[in-house]
Amino acid sequence: MTLSLSADIQPSSERSTGSPRANGWRGLIEEYRAYLPVSEKTPVITLHEGNTPLIPVPAIAAEIGKNVQVFVKYDGLNPTGSFKDRGMTMAISKAKEDGAEAVICASTGNTSAAAAAYARRGGMRAFVLIPDGYVALGKLAQALLYGAEVLAIQGNFDRALEIVRAASEQYPVTLVNSLNPYRLEGQKTAAFEVVDVLGDAPDWLCIPVGNAGNITAYWMGFCQYHQERRCTKLPKMMGFQAMGAAPMVTGHIFEHPETIATAIRIGNPANRDRAIAVQHASQGTFNAVTDDEILDAYRLLASGEGIFCEPASAASVAGLLKVKDQVPENAKIVCVLTGNGLKDPDTAIKHSRSQFKQGIAPDLTSVAQAMGF
Ligand code: F0G
């Protein structure tokens, strides 16, 4: 009795970082405080983000063969439904610490939802610039309901990013795109979680690439854990872009990026140079996948594994399947699923291959007949 009592009252600062706590996950700043640029003075603005599941996906592993193990890091289970919450708890907490009263971002949707939620929780205004007509419905709904000031521009994400960069230099608003260094600091914790669960780094990390912040953040996380000897190796970083928005693959800017995966509809990635450095350091590659390949992986994840992600996220799995000949025997692979499928119900309904029989008479005979009995 005495023993369990003393364990219960152990101060939080003495608990080691890493695996989920028996007394509940407190959000990634508290859980990984020792690895993050925060101090006692930093007001922690959190929705208890992080600690998302690493789920085995045997149907996808079977498509590859070679005795591989494949997992998905399902970051769509964060509080606003995407990995952006990891970066936003840090960016908003640090903005609050610095006395900011307003934040601004450009977004293909997820950043705007996360910025809105965390800024409002921290008592700040949130201005979000989005490309008019190219943001999935769920993301727009979130930004509006969280109370952001949503400004839809007649231009794409790249143009919106140029404008918010300039705005943050001229007006009292803090930029919370991934150019803000605290964003990547928060996002690197996803790599910590992967290692904490697997016991080491995977052989490959497959990840969708848009503005190229997240691939950079994961690499930072793996390298930091490696330095601390919490993992013995570093993964090959495999970045995947949509064919119509693939500047990291072709090496040139896309003036008019186009893809069904609107989250990664980006032609001029702000973190391009850092992502190239990651590619070289990890001996990874960038590859492009078509919209059809993205949709195939999107459906396979849902109907073969029970996992509903958004189209951009499925690019990581589509990419893995595309380059499966390069996968080494017995490899352990993690694909990052960056956002929740509920963000984009329009694409799901439009591209589902499931039967949807409507207008059935409300009686058992008719229903049984429709069931094929
Ligand atoms: N997957 C999803 C679901 C995203 O929303 C994004 C980026 C990415 C992947 C690519 O990540 O930019 O770090 O390479 N979304 C940003 C936004 C651009 O505004 O929500 P990245």
Side-chain angles (χ1 to χ4, degrees):
M1 204 55 188
T2 332
L3 269 178
S4 72
L5 253 181
S6 67
D8 283 349
I9 57 167
Q10 188 184 10
S12 60
S13 58
E14 285 175 23
R15 285 187 232 123
S16 66
T17 53
S19 56
R21 306 293 174 275
N23 63 343
W25 180 265
R26 297 161 299 161
L28 60 85
I29 293 181
E30 292 304 350
E31 301 298 337
Y32 292 111
R33 183 173 271 276
Y35 297 90
L36 293 168
V38 289
S39 72
E40 292 303 317
K41 285 190 302 205
T42 312
V44 176
I45 296 164
T46 180
L47 291 163
H48 291 205
E49 59 295 313
N51 194 26
T52 56
L54 190 68
I55 309 172
V57 283
I60 287 155
E63 296 241 337
I64 298 168
K66 302 186 200 180
N67 200 31
V68 297
Q69 280 176 276
V70 184
F71 302 84
V72 291
K73 178 66 173 159
Y74 191 19
D75 247 2
L77 288 187
N78 274 301
T80 79
S82 87
F83 73 99
K84 304 288 183 180
D85 295 345
R86 294 181 182 277
M88 217 48 86
T89 185
M90 274 298 299
I92 298 290
S93 296
K94 295 300 284 190
K96 188 77 184 167
E97 183 178 351
D98 290 346
E101 291 179 359
V103 301
I104 192 165
C105 66
S107 182
T108 55
N110 282 323
T111 301
S112 68
Y118 285 81
R120 300 303 297 157
R121 195 171 172 90
M124 285 175 262
R125 293 175 75 181
F127 296 100
V128 306
L129 260 72
I130 56 171
D132 204 355
Y134 288 92
V135 166
L137 206 61
K139 303 175 188 181
L140 181 59
Q142 287 180 288
L144 291 170
L145 201 70
Y146 287 136
E149 294 163 60
V150 181
L151 310 165
I153 64 155
Q154 293 172 347
N156 61 28
F157 169 85
D158 303 292
R159 182 71 196 119
L161 187 58
E162 286 168 7
I163 296 169
V164 298
R165 282 175 90 154
S168 69
E169 281 159 19
Q170 290 173 36
Y171 302 100
V173 286
T174 301
L175 184 68
V176 293
N177 278 104
S178 56
L179 294 159
N180 177 323
Y182 299 118
R183 279 277 312 277
L184 300 191
E185 290 288 337
Q187 285 171 215
K188 76 184 178 186
T189 60
F192 297 165
E193 291 177 16
V194 168
V195 174
D196 287 339
V197 171
L198 291 182
D200 205 340
D203 299 297
W204 278 25
L205 194 283
C206 299
I207 185 166
V209 175
N211 215 19
N214 211 26
I215 191 170
T216 308
Y218 263 88
W219 183 246
M220 283 164 52
F222 286 124
C223 289
Q224 194 170 1
Y225 250 26
H226 192 245
Q227 271 163 12
E228 302 273 333
R229 299 188 198 288
R230 296 195 68 139
C231 54
T232 65
K233 59 185 177 188
L234 291 166
K236 205 184 259 290
M237 301 294 284
M238 305 295 286
F240 296 101
Q241 297 204 286
M243 199 74 90
M248 300 302 304
V249 182
T250 63
H252 63 78
I253 291 169
F254 279 53
E255 293 291 344
H256 303 289
E258 274 312 333
T259 169
I260 193 162
T262 51
I264 52 172
R265 185 175 168 271
I266 295 174
N268 186 15
N271 296 291
R272 177 183 42 233
D273 294 348
R274 287 197 271 190
I276 291 170
V278 170
Q279 182 207 347
H280 289 153
S282 77
Q283 295 169 345
T285 55
F286 289 110
N287 286 283
V289 286
T290 64
D291 280 4
D292 282 345
E293 288 166 336
I294 288 173
L295 289 172
D296 283 343
Y298 175 64
R299 283 185 291 254
L300 176 62
L301 276 162
S303 65
E305 306 282 10
I307 297 169
F308 188 23
C309 66
E310 64 173 288
S313 307
S316 62
V317 170
L320 171 62
L321 294 174
K322 188 157 188 168
V323 301
K324 66 180 181 182
D325 291 348
Q326 298 168 31
V327 174
E329 292 275 337
N330 306 315
K332 226 178 240 187
I333 300 168
V334 171
C335 295
V336 182
L337 298 186
T338 45
N340 197 301
L342 293 169
K343 295 266 191 180
D344 190 355
D346 295 324
T347 303
I349 292 168
K350 191 165 171 205
H351 294 280
S352 138
R353 296 240 169 102
S354 296
Q355 285 190 23
F356 180 28
K357 298 179 179 168
Q358 292 174 279
I360 300 163
D363 60 72
L364 178 58
T365 313
S366 308
V367 171
Q369 201 175 21
M371 289 165 76
F373 291 118

